[in-house]
Amino acid sequence: MALTDESQVAYGDRVAAIEPGGDDHIPEAARHGTPRKLFWTWMSPNMEFATIFIGVLSVTAFGMNFWQASLGLAVGIGLGAAAHYVLSARGPLHGVPQMVLGRMAFGYRGNALPATFMSVMCGVGWFATNSVSGAFALNTLTGLPKVPALLVIVVAQTVFAFFGHNLVQAFERIAFPLLAVVFVLVTIAVFGKAELGAAAPAGGVGGPGGFLLTVGTAFGYAAGWNPYAADYSRYLPSAVSRTATGLYAAAGLFISCLWLSVLGAASATIASTATGSPTDVFTGNLPSLLADLALLAIAVGAVAANALNVYSGAMAFVTMGVKLPVHTQRALVCVVFGGIGFLVAWWALADAAASYEAFLLIVAYWIGPWLGVVLTDQYLRRGQAVAHLLYDRTYVNHSGVAAFGIGLGVSVLLFSNQHKFVGLIPRQVPELGDITFFVGFVLSAAIYWTLERARISRAAVAA
């Protein structure tokens, strides 16, 4: 047994221990748990204000009424959850992180491209986004100034990620009952005041474009977890049901995201005079005691989300092949990412709402093409042995890099609809909204299928 294997076996299911290594394969002797634990692993991190604000945006910015917003949210989140099912189910089979599995489609070194996107967009970007909402909540709840409140949130979530997989999983399980109870009470209170039949507010995008923007932002949020999927299922024994693994992960993601985003859409229909930060406006519609509980839940939910964000962001960075001390490489990178995330969040405190809307769509831009390549590769290699490719530094797959790059570049240039950049087609047809992620997914999948289908089939026959 290798030294890394010995360390992983010793780690086992211990909670108060630092997870050794980085992107290593998890040996069977170190596997533990059941697929059911993935339900709260993916419920807890989405029971926070960033999820609520997707629904708020769908009404206030995209011009949807409550029912239109709910449908768009269900479509976008459903697509992200479906991909999460497929990707999570592979964790127990291969026992490696999601970005290591991506090496099949991109090659060992080519995989650094999507790994960089994930490290920056998710490990830092999502970390900063959620830290801001947690800091706002803690600031209102305790009166602590915003920057010290941000520091408290960042330190808490970085500690969980530093210790690693088992402590992160344990925290998600412990946080789940608190978050669920509070948000059930909040849901009852908000729906008691909401005007669900109200017309869409004036000033939003409206029409098919607004609906597609709602789908895109919802997909960007839910699918933002897709590059993490196998990170949290890889410790399960290889004999567990792949169907159960995928279902528990996808159900936790779908239920939590849809629940809280629809709650946000309902809250946006309430006539209110509340002012301040986005969390202040949301809790301003609640009785004082429940408002305080909601603020506490928002702060805890931010920590629950970012424990995963910084852990998996660091994991993606490690898969890029950076040389660090073997036993502590992932933990060290978590600390660095926590520091960078704090600085980015500090910068975003001034205009969190505008930053969040743009960020959600940008996340969807790169994840669409990435999913197109990864899922197509997985389909083409179904039933094939792939373990020999995952850590082979000489293995290359230029087709994946080309398909990803072309799909991303063409879809953004033609269909992006951002304040900073509008693609060629939305300039002529602004009512189209933003379908960049759809185009990126389809185009990258088609290119990869065309380039790799014959080669992968020949490799299977030769084997």
Side-chain angles (χ1 to χ4, degrees):
M1 182 182 292
L3 181 59
T4 301
D5 286 357
E6 292 177 355
S7 300
Q8 292 286 11
V9 172
Y11 178 60
D13 59 359
R14 296 169 60 201
V15 173
I18 297 175
E19 181 185 3
D23 66 350
D24 318 279
H25 171 266
I26 307 301
E28 197 64 39
R31 307 284 189 96
H32 58 274
T34 64
R36 185 169 56 249
K37 73 176 184 179
L38 294 175
F39 182 74
W40 55 68
T41 296
W42 294 111
M43 280 289 289
S44 295
N46 293 301
M47 299 174 73
E48 46 121 15
F49 190 73
T51 320
I52 293 170
F53 204 60
I54 301 170
V56 174
L57 285 173
S58 67
V59 175
T60 60
F62 304 147
M64 298 289 96
N65 64 36
F66 172 79
W67 299 107
Q68 293 167 335
S70 296
L71 177 59
L73 293 166
V75 172
I77 292 167
L79 291 172
H84 209 61
Y85 169 91
V86 176
L87 298 173
S88 296
R90 305 189 77 197
L93 177 64
H94 298 288
V96 298
Q98 188 63 57
M99 278 292 148
V100 171
L101 286 173
R103 289 172 179 165
M104 290 185 291
F106 295 96
Y108 188 92
R109 300 197 183 282
N111 193 56
L113 178 61
T116 299
F117 271 94
M118 179 177 164
S119 296
V120 175
M121 291 284 193
C122 301
V124 175
W126 269 122
F127 182 88
T129 299
N130 293 321
S131 295
V132 167
S133 62
F136 281 152
L138 195 61
N139 161 253
T140 303
L141 180 64
T142 66
L144 193 66
K146 290 179 181 176
V147 174
L150 176 64
L151 184 61
V152 170
I153 294 291
V154 167
V155 169
Q157 55 208 15
T158 303
V159 167
F160 286 117
F162 176 82
F163 275 84
H165 178 274
N166 291 350
L167 185 58
V168 169
Q169 293 270 23
F171 177 70
E172 306 299 342
R173 182 179 68 250
I174 294 168
F176 174 67
L178 166 67
L179 297 172
V181 169
V182 171
F183 281 117
V184 164
L185 297 175
V186 170
T187 299
I188 294 170
V190 167
F191 274 81
K193 295 183 178 181
E195 296 290 339
L196 303 185
V205 176
F211 182 78
L212 289 172
L213 282 166
T214 299
V215 173
T217 53
F219 173 80
Y221 184 88
W225 297 112
N226 290 167
Y228 305 17
D231 294 2
Y232 303 96
S233 61
R234 77 191 198 278
Y235 271 90
L236 294 175
S238 59
V240 301
S241 166
R242 293 178 64 185
T243 300
T245 300
L247 280 176
Y248 276 112
L253 181 66
F254 181 78
I255 293 170
S256 57
C257 288
L258 186 60
W259 172 14
L260 266 73
S261 61
V262 168
L263 173 62
S267 74
T269 69
I270 301 173
S272 174
T273 58
T275 59
S277 70
T279 54
D280 289 340
V281 173
F282 175 73
T283 56
N285 297 316
L286 303 174
S288 58
L289 177 59
L290 184 56
D292 288 344
L293 289 174
L295 289 168
L296 175 62
I298 288 170
V300 172
V303 174
N306 277 343
L308 269 64
N309 282 318
V310 71
Y311 175 85
S312 286
M315 188 72 70
F317 183 83
V318 169
T319 65
M320 294 164 62
V322 178
K323 297 294 184 181
L324 292 169
V326 174
H327 292 293
T328 58
Q329 55 184 325
R330 180 207 51 77
L332 290 174
V333 175
C334 281
V335 174
V336 174
F337 272 36
I340 296 173
F342 170 76
L343 295 175
V344 174
W346 190 352
W347 170 78
L349 281 172
D351 192 7
S355 300
Y356 186 46
E357 177 184 343
F359 177 68
L360 281 169
L361 289 172
I362 292 172
V363 168
Y365 289 174
W366 84 267
I367 287 182
W370 178 80
L371 279 174
V373 173
V374 168
L375 294 179
T376 302
D377 180 83
Q378 180 174 331
Y379 178 78
L380 291 174
R381 296 182 193 274
R382 62 194 185 281
Q384 296 183 22
V386 298
H388 62 289
L389 301 176
L390 300 180
Y391 295 94
D392 181 358
R393 290 177 175 268
T394 66
Y395 171 63
V396 296
N397 191 342
H398 298 306
S399 298
V401 177
F404 176 80
I406 294 171
L408 178 61
V410 170
S411 62
V412 170
L413 286 173
L414 292 182
F415 293 96
S416 174
N417 198 349
Q418 291 271 345
H419 292 300
K420 300 292 185 181
F421 178 77
V422 179
L424 296 176
I425 293 178
R427 291 179 201 170
Q428 306 302 319
V429 192
E431 61 270 19
L432 185 63
D434 194 323
I435 60 170
T436 306
F437 76 96
F438 285 121
V439 176
F441 176 87
V442 173
L443 183 57
S444 293
I447 293 172
Y448 190 78
W449 176 279
T450 302
L451 295 176
E452 282 296 293
R453 182 184 182 189
R455 188 186 71 82
I456 291 176
S457 297
R458 288 195 302 270
V461 171

